[in-house]
Amino acid sequence: MAGQQAEQTIHVGGEWRAALSGATREILDPADAEPFAVVAEGDEKDADLAVAAARRAFDEGPWPHTPVTERAALLRRVADLLVRDREELGLLESRDAGKTLEEGRVDIDCVADAFRYFADLVVGEGGGRVVDAGSSDVHSVVVHEPVGVCALITPWNYPLLQASWKIAPALAAGNTFVVKPSEITPLTTVALLGLLAEAGLPAGVAGLVTGPGHTVGARLAEHPDVDLVSFTGGLASGTKVARAAADTVKKVALELGGKNPNVVFADACATGEGFDTAVDQALNAAFIHSGQVCSAGSRLIVEESLRERFVAELARRANAIRLGRGTEDGVECGPLVSEQQRAKTEAYVAAALAEGAVLRAGGKRPEPSGVRPATGYFYEPTVLDQCHRGMRVVREEVFGPVLTVETFATEDEAVALANDTEYGLAGAVWTADAGRARRVAGRLRHGTVWINDFHPYLPQAEWGGFGRSGVGRELGPAGLAEYQETKHVYQNLAPKPVRWFAG
């Protein structure tokens, strides 16, 4: 955020500015609920200015016509700058979102990887796909062109990572954009806009408006000069974005979260090492970043014969997770992002207990300590046993450190439980039987399926979900294609009259 005053976090036409209204918002550190930054609080008028600048930059500026190799070179420069500023950005992400410092550093590494991947991918596309028209007198080729002005609306849990999954392919394809980060965690996205300028991106190509979703986000989604809107966030907000975008028939990409099953067969735990690995990964699946992950394995579906042993060890280890400020040594899990998110988590746990769930670990706010200020938004990692599909906590996305336990007796029952969700983002199967692993993975209706693992992703592989987890894909070749229009150019090399009409 160097180079502008604290409240000048709106980026329009290559210049930093305050909100037109003069409104500001304090950014709170979720570890102690204390403000540590101030940003502009933009509204619809600020969004209109940013879109107008992006429109001019696309229609009149050089970026859409810049050679692919030059666009790719800029993306690689951005990646290098991210590596240079890794510690600063990782710390900012940790403090803004509440995650551990190590998680913040890993996020920055992944952001740099995304910029490099899309740089390589767009260069590899070449000059288009030649289509055989069946005649030597015809040259026919399918080419890709930028969509135009893109509105990019990103969530609060992985602020910079989710922004990079949109910004990198949008720029690689030759688009201009306006990004609206979450009003809760905007700081690293603001910093990224500075790095884009430092890398040499022409003024106006990248715009940013800090502000709420119901004003800035809604205006971007409906704006007639926006050609594409890409949104990552909750289901309710995503459906509003889709409705707002419908009137102008713009391209829409939605990543709306999930309720992700982690299926554990008893044979995966036949050895001590297998048991320890499956338990360890179940903890990682559910409690990384306090469960505030769209792909969190919040539904443990374990074979009945293994249930008691597995859950007992899981609960023991969940109770031992060290909570605290993410920048402190030894802390394994930070706070929730806001008081609202903690209250939501508490409500889900209370409802589950009222519906018959059995509390095996957590279920309350921890006692304050040296690394857990009394005012922070902390909540203990929670394990709820004896859950069933009738419970809200099993059906709905909590986005907190809450793991539910269901059981199965047969493979068919395990698959049915795992697919019994309106979402379909991600899931995992744990088994020592290679045939069973392939069968179950093939039957799961989820966009990503892990076998004997949980959470890894590759920038080369598409990310997105089935059902109400959204439409479209990020990452991979399809992630670039979201930001491209496909054009068929048919050239007749020997034109002559058709004589369809006699006269």
Side-chain angles (χ1 to χ4, degrees), residues 154-172:
T154 60
W156 49 257
N157 60 331
Y158 284 88
L160 194 58
L161 184 64
Q162 292 293 329
S164 74
W165 288 11
K166 303 177 191 301
I167 290 173
L171 290 178

Side-chain angles (χ1 to χ4, degrees), residues 1-4 10-16 63 73-75 77-79 81-82 84-85 115 167 171 177 179 188-208:
M1 295 173 63
Q4 77 268 16
I10 293 175
H11 196 66
V12 176
E15 296 182 353
W16 292 103
W63 186 249
L74 183 135
L75 264 62
R77 289 197 295 274
V78 173
L81 293 172
L82 287 160
R84 181 197 70 186
D85 294 348
F115 274 88
I167 290 173
L171 290 178
F177 70 84
V179 60
T188 50
T189 307
V190 173
L192 177 61
L193 267 286
L195 297 185
L196 293 175
E198 183 178 349
L201 189 68
V205 174
L208 181 148

Side-chain angles (χ1 to χ4, degrees), residues 7-358:
E7 67 275 11
Q8 291 182 330
T9 55
I10 293 175
H11 196 66
V12 176
E15 296 182 353
W16 292 103
R17 49 170 296 153
L20 289 172
S21 68
T24 60
R25 173 188 289 265
E26 290 183 329
I27 303 301
L28 304 182
D29 184 334
D32 59 17
E34 292 294 327
F36 75 102
V38 177
V39 298
E41 182 86 330
D43 60 20
E44 296 92 339
K45 293 180 180 178
D46 297 288
D48 285 346
L49 283 179
V51 170
R55 184 80 266 167
R56 286 193 300 273
F58 185 80
D59 294 341
E60 304 170 14
W63 186 249
H65 313 291
T66 298
V68 168
T69 53
E70 292 184 26
R71 296 203 302 262
L74 183 135
L75 264 62
R76 294 190 184 101
R77 289 197 295 274
V78 173
D80 292 341
L81 293 172
L82 287 160
V83 172
R84 181 197 70 186
D85 294 348
R86 179 178 186 257
E87 286 301 308
E88 177 186 344
L89 291 170
L91 177 61
L92 190 60
E93 196 79 327
S94 170
R95 195 167 185 197
D96 203 9
K99 60 184 66 180
T100 65
L101 181 55
E102 186 56 32
E103 287 178 86
R105 291 169 176 149
V106 170
D107 284 359
I108 306 309
D109 293 340
C110 292
V111 172
D113 288 345
F115 274 88
R116 290 196 180 100
Y117 169 72
F118 283 110
D120 293 342
L121 181 63
V122 74
V123 168
E125 281 197 327
R129 174 170 54 91
V130 176
V131 178
D132 184 359
S135 169
S136 60
D137 291 335
V138 173
H139 179 261
S140 183
V141 63
V142 174
V143 297
H144 293 130
E145 297 183 355
V147 171
V149 177
C150 302
L152 313 177
I153 305 173
T154 60
W156 49 257
N157 60 331
Y158 284 88
L160 194 58
L161 184 64
Q162 292 293 329
S164 74
W165 288 11
K166 303 177 191 301
I167 290 173
L171 290 178
N175 298 284
T176 63
F177 70 84
V178 178
V179 60
K180 192 211 86 67
S182 166
E183 59 269 33
I184 303 173
T185 57
L187 300 180
T188 50
T189 307
V190 173
L192 177 61
L193 267 286
L195 297 185
L196 293 175
E198 183 178 349
L201 189 68
V205 174
L208 181 148
V209 182
T210 48
H214 70 273
T215 55
V216 178
R219 180 56 179 155
L220 291 175
E222 71 181 9
H223 203 294
D225 282 338
V226 168
D227 301 296
L228 172 150
V229 58
S230 178
F231 171 87
T232 299
L235 176 60
S237 297
T239 55
K240 291 178 182 177
V241 167
R243 292 190 189 101
D247 285 345
T248 50
V249 199
K250 55 174 59 74
K251 291 186 71 173
V252 176
L254 304 172
E255 202 267 83
L256 305 180
K259 194 64 181 177
N260 311 290
N262 186 20
V263 180
V264 181
F265 285 88
D267 64 10
C269 300
T271 66
E273 182 180 2
F275 178 81
D276 178 68
T277 299
V279 171
D280 177 78
Q281 289 277 16
L283 290 165
N284 292 342
F287 300 132
I288 287 289
H289 194 18
S290 294
Q292 299 170 120
V293 185
C294 60
S295 57
S298 57
R299 292 180 62 205
L300 175 64
I301 302 174
V302 62
E303 192 164 352
E304 178 61 47
S305 62
L306 179 66
R307 196 261 298 271
E308 184 51 42
R309 177 182 170 221
F310 196 94
V311 175
E313 179 62 11
L314 187 73
R316 183 191 72 78
R317 292 186 58 179
N319 280 325
I321 291 175
R322 295 187 293 276
L323 303 181
R325 186 186 294 275
T327 55
E328 297 287 342
D329 291 340
V331 167
E332 298 172 319
C333 196
L336 293 171
V337 76
S338 66
E339 178 56 40
Q340 178 184 15
Q341 199 62 28
R342 181 169 64 177
K344 175 185 172 184
T345 300
E346 290 175 325
Y348 271 111
V349 172
L353 296 177
E355 292 170 334
V358 175

Side-chain angles (χ1 to χ4, degrees), residues 417-482:
L417 283 171
N419 284 337
D420 188 10
T421 173
E422 63 183 6
Y423 296 101
L425 183 60
V429 54
W430 290 82
T431 177
D433 184 330
R436 170 183 282 159
R438 289 191 296 270
R439 285 194 308 272
V440 173
R443 295 173 66 188
L444 291 182
R445 296 281 297 167
H446 300 273
T448 294
V449 178
W450 295 290
I451 297 174
N452 297 335
D453 211 329
F454 210 103
H455 275 320
Y457 78 92
L458 302 172
Q460 311 95 296
E462 280 75 2
W463 180 265
F466 296 5
R468 295 193 178 184
S469 283
V471 294
R473 290 294 184 269
E474 296 189 294
L475 302 180
L480 178 62
E482 294 285 354

